[in-house]
Amino acid sequence: QSALTQPPSVSGSPGQSVTISCTGTSSDVGSYNRVSWYQQPPGTTPKLMIYEVSNRPSGVPDRFSGSKSGNTASLTISGLQAEDEADYYCSSYTRSSTYVLFGGGTKLTVL
Amino acid sequence: EVQLLESGGGLVQPGGSLRLSCAASGFTLGNYAMTWVRQAPGKGLEWVSDISESGGSTYYADSVKGRFIISRDNSKNTLDLQMNSLRAEDTAVYYCAKSLGGGIYKYYFDSWGQGTLVTVSS
């Protein structure tokens, strides 16, 4: 089972908005709302930012939002801040034998 | 405060074995499914294995199926990963992670350990 497809990199200036896409198939993203997003700043461990497509865990700023259309999920970060610079990974349940898939990761650069 | 502390990583030759452990504190381990996720140097995240709250159900990525065994001891607050027939491509930092909850929430990982590095090389 291939990983979910994410763009390798995105960038934006402070205060702007950026959107990171995550494309899967009808076996995962397209058929289930079990999509999540993780933030991993350099040298740190992953942090859950979004679960069940669009829900934010306690403590995650509302600048972070998630959505899904068809086989593609998206993470939007509005009001970009320097501290948002990190790698972002999407994840989805899959009905294949692999059970859980991650995307390849997207490096967000705040210009 | 939830804390997860992995141990057991190190250098091992191809074909060798290693047992990773994860010590959990700050929550009731038996109430949550637990997961191992790995990250090869400079690469992305890869889900490895998952175990249900009681330990009665286990799941594995195709890449490790038949070689790795996940287990847990809720009375000792520990999660283990027995890794056999190790290959160079198993080289990675291995993280244990706590699920957000039960049911569909077991697919979301809200607490992660610092990770332990496994290097498979001759």
Side-chain angles (χ1 to χ4, degrees):
Chain A
Q1 179 81 30
S2 300
L4 306 173
T5 301
Q6 297 181 234
S9 63
V10 297
S11 63
S13 299
Q16 288 186 332
S17 294
V18 294
T19 296
I20 300 171
S21 62
C22 170
T23 302
T25 69
S26 58
S27 294
D28 39 71
V29 175
S31 292
Y32 305 95
N33 287 331
R34 301 168 191 172
V35 176
S36 53
W37 290 89
Y38 298 87
Q39 176 194 64
Q40 187 179 30
T44 70
T45 60
K47 175 185 177 183
L48 179 65
M49 304 300 285
I50 296 287
Y51 67 94
E52 203 174 3
V53 176
S54 60
N55 293 324
R56 283 186 307 277
S58 174
V60 173
D62 59 7
R63 301 186 294 105
F64 292 83
S65 62
S67 62
K68 191 186 85 168
S69 177
N71 294 338
T72 299
S74 299
L75 173 70
T76 298
I77 309 170
S78 58
L80 267 180
Q81 299 181 3
E83 66 202 49
D84 299 333
E85 192 160 283
D87 292 327
Y88 289 85
Y89 295 91
C90 63
S91 178
S92 174
Y93 167 80
T94 172
R95 60 170 171 255
S96 78
S97 58
T98 301
Y99 190 66
V100 174
L101 288 175
F102 280 98
T106 299
K107 181 176 180 60
L108 169 63
T109 301
V110 181
L111 302 171
Chain B
E1 178 191 5
V2 171
Q3 289 196 335
L4 299 168
L5 183 61
E6 303 93 338
S7 61
L11 175 64
V12 61
Q13 292 189 339
S17 297
L18 214 54
R19 188 177 186 88
L20 306 182
S21 290
C22 173
S25 61
F27 67 104
T28 303
L29 182 65
N31 289 347
Y32 297 90
M34 296 293 292
T35 294
W36 287 96
V37 175
R38 68 185 180 184
Q39 186 169 32
K43 302 296 184 181
L45 302 172
E46 180 186 12
W47 176 83
V48 173
S49 181
D50 174 283
I51 187 167
S52 63
E53 293 88 324
S54 67
S57 297
T58 57
Y59 306 87
Y60 300 93
D62 289 343
S63 58
V64 307
K65 200 170 295 183
R67 300 188 298 123
F68 290 12
I69 301 172
I70 189 172
S71 61
R72 65 192 295 163
D73 187 332
N74 290 337
S75 66
K76 296 181 179 179
N77 293 319
T78 58
L79 171 74
D80 290 339
L81 186 68
Q82 176 67 41
M83 304 186 296
N84 302 319
S85 303
L86 283 162
R87 307 166 180 168
E89 54 264 35
D90 295 318
T91 294
V93 173
Y94 285 73
Y95 297 102
C96 71
K98 168 187 164 292
S99 65
L100 185 61
I104 64 170
Y105 298 107
K106 67 178 181 177
Y107 304 109
Y108 313 122
F109 316 126
D110 66 343
S111 295
W112 298 62
Q114 289 301 306
T116 185
L117 177 62
V118 172
T119 303
V120 184
S121 175
S122 55

